[in-house]
Amino acid sequence: MINKIRFLILIQFILIGCNTNDSKSNLPNILIIYTDDLGYGDVSAYGKGTLNTPNIDKLANEGIRFNNGYATSATCSPSRYGLLTGNYPWRKDGLSVITGGSLVIDTTEMTIPKLLKTKGYHTGIVGKWHLGLSMVTTDDQVQKIGNIDYSKPVTAGSNDHGFDYSFILPGSLDMFPYVYLKNQRFLGKVNKMRGWSAFNRIGPTEENFEDYEVLQTFRAEVNQFIARNAKDSKNGKPFFLYFALTAPHTPTSPHPDFQGKTDLGVYGDFVHETDYCLVSTMEALQKHGIDDNTIVIFTSDHGPAPYAGNILEATYNNIKGLEKQGHYPSGPLRGYKFSVYEGGMRIPFLIKWPNQIKPGSTCDRLIGLNDLLATIADITGSELSKDQGVDSISYLPLLKDRNAKAPRQNLQMQGTHGWAYRMGDWKLCLCPGSGALGVYGNVPKRVDAWPAAVKEFGENPTREQLIEAPFVQLFNLKEDLGEREDVSKQNPEVVKKMYALMRQQFTNGRSTPGPKQTNDRNTLNYFS
């Protein structure tokens, strides 16, 4: 009898062990492919133009296409901060586009890779980091050109935020230092000073670095990462990979293998190579037999740059040359990168999850890049504490049913000099004009829009009057996707309600249910 009991207990332990392993093995690999300056209209599944992206479109046909996906910022670094932390970037004091500065994300903050490590994931990043590095200097002074010791590993970087493996560029492809880092160490000899087309930012460069080789280098690293982790993922240790491309951000520099492949010119060729990055990655998943258990998320950090196009130098309204050729990087949307208009912040957002998402689905529900943290937590059964991902809402229900009730009802976004807020079909812009300086093409320029608004109003406004027309703009995106008709004068109560919600979400330190939190900044002036 005792032996029989022991036998039954042994069988029970074996079954528990099997169930545990099954649970782990059922966790999907997760791959985020994050493009740089790819517009809503650059993807032919969304687009308005002549450029085709067959491989990205294939992903859309195999998964779900979100038509109301947004970045939380119309610039690079804040958008990346929002994606990784699930927090609005304006909660971080002084966060703007990083140009060689120290680490942005506090090492105590929760990030997607940190979260997934708690579930046994192996995590990696390949590509553009652009959230700062703390580098060793030769004179113990603030890091700058001329005092960085490139022979020493950085003291803080991407690996400090949950990535087990990293192969990165510090920032954009036109921001020095032009050198790769692997697991916090600079690769090669940084012994040259060079710059590339567009802005020609001259700075420290690794002796063999070439801009047109970067995407090819990243593709090879991604394929090697997948190959290294494929066997483990089959045996219950899934992986997370954040593949952050540097394209089609300037310098517009397609590899020679992709030059002349489109009728649109060098910009079209660069988008074509960006499209190929996706197919080469998907082929790697298929080669190792793990594509059926891998979630692939494809998106962009914000809208297209107005200074990008077929003129290699960053040029005012360069993008208009593409539009004259019949290609509209913003698609049917108004505005570009930097602005509060839709073209600056509405982005392509595609997700493939075999056997879970109905192929060829489309969804019109509102989602943001900041929602990825909560969604991934939901998918993997991970726990977020009450002070983590305070602006992140899971949209897992939409992946199961595109017509499910919208988890997100509103979303707060920022241009470089203005703010925007979505609530249902309404879009409020807390500024006259584009909310951008307009140096490269967004109009109306800030310098023109404010004096024109004061002239129309008849006097300088009080602080209370700043939330009245013509100092704000209100659009009904269901009826006016192109944001051509400002209806703020006709709907003052809607404006007041939306502004009050924005202020409340700042004061509460969160936009999700839960205990009040403290922002990293004491005040926020929406009209500065």
Side-chain angles (χ1 to χ4, degrees), residues 187-258:
L187 299 180
K189 296 180 180 179
V190 182
N191 55 14
K192 289 184 178 180
M193 296 288 286
R194 288 186 65 186
W196 274 266
S197 62
F199 297 99
N200 194 32
R201 296 182 176 115
I202 305 296
T205 310
E206 195 275 330
E207 58 185 350
N208 297 312
F209 187 89
E210 294 290 351
D211 62 339
Y212 62 82
E213 293 180 343
V214 169
L215 291 185
Q216 185 181 63
T217 301
F218 286 162
R219 289 196 298 270
E221 279 292 327
V222 165
N223 290 352
Q224 291 170 23
F225 180 91
I226 292 171
R228 286 195 304 270
N229 291 281
K231 184 177 180 180
D232 284 345
S233 77
K234 292 178 182 178
N235 293 327
K237 186 173 176 62
F239 67 78
F240 165 68
L241 178 60
Y242 174 46
F243 181 15
L245 281 69
T246 50
H249 192 294
T250 54
T252 310
S253 49
H255 188 275
D257 291 349
F258 293 88

Side-chain angles (χ1 to χ4, degrees), residues 332-334 342 346 476-484:
L333 310 176
R334 181 181 183 180
E342 291 290 281
R346 191 185 292 216
N476 186 318
L477 295 179
K478 185 176 182 179
E479 300 175 358
D480 180 23
L481 182 61
E483 296 174 290
R484 301 301 175 190

Side-chain angles (χ1 to χ4, degrees), residues 122 296 450:
H122 184 75
V296 179
W450 280 99

Side-chain angles (χ1 to χ4, degrees), residues 80 97 107 195 234 310 313-314 326 329 333 399 450 466 498 502:
R80 289 158 204 276
V97 178
T107 54
K234 292 178 182 178
N310 287 328
E313 182 181 355
L333 310 176
L399 302 184
W450 280 99
L466 283 173
M498 294 179 73
M502 293 178 74

Side-chain angles (χ1 to χ4, degrees), residues 381-526:
S382 306
E383 293 291 332
L384 289 170
S385 64
K386 295 178 179 179
D387 62 344
Q388 295 170 344
V390 296
D391 300 303
S392 192
I393 300 173
S394 172
Y395 51 81
L396 178 59
L398 299 177
L399 302 184
K400 304 290 186 178
D401 177 8
R402 65 192 180 105
N403 294 314
K405 182 180 178 181
R408 174 171 287 286
Q409 301 299 317
N410 52 67
L411 183 71
Q412 196 162 163
M413 299 161 281
Q414 61 188 104
T416 56
H417 292 78
W419 299 82
Y421 194 63
R422 273 291 306 264
M423 184 183 76
D425 294 327
W426 294 111
K427 163 88 171 286
L428 174 66
C429 301
L430 291 180
C431 59
S434 65
L437 293 179
V439 175
Y440 291 105
N442 279 299
V443 292
K445 298 179 180 180
R446 174 184 169 88
V447 68
D448 298 327
W450 280 99
V454 172
K455 183 178 180 181
E456 179 183 341
F457 192 66
E459 60 182 345
N460 287 322
T462 64
R463 187 164 189 81
E464 290 73 23
Q465 290 170 328
L466 283 173
I467 61 168
E468 300 176 14
F471 302 104
V472 298
Q473 302 164 83
L474 183 69
F475 303 100
N476 186 318
L477 295 179
K478 185 176 182 179
E479 300 175 358
D480 180 23
L481 182 61
E483 296 174 290
R484 301 301 175 190
E485 184 181 359
D486 174 14
V487 294
S488 56
K489 285 184 179 179
Q490 298 93 313
N491 299 277
E493 295 307 313
V494 174
V495 172
K496 290 178 182 178
K497 179 180 179 180
M498 294 179 73
Y499 178 68
L501 283 170
M502 293 178 74
R503 292 300 311 171
Q504 183 182 53
Q505 289 176 2
F506 173 74
T507 302
N508 289 346
R510 67 185 314 133
S511 57
T512 56
K516 188 173 181 178
Q517 299 296 314
T518 303
N519 298 307
D520 187 54
R521 62 195 304 165
N522 295 324
T523 60
L524 180 62
N525 183 3
Y526 285 104

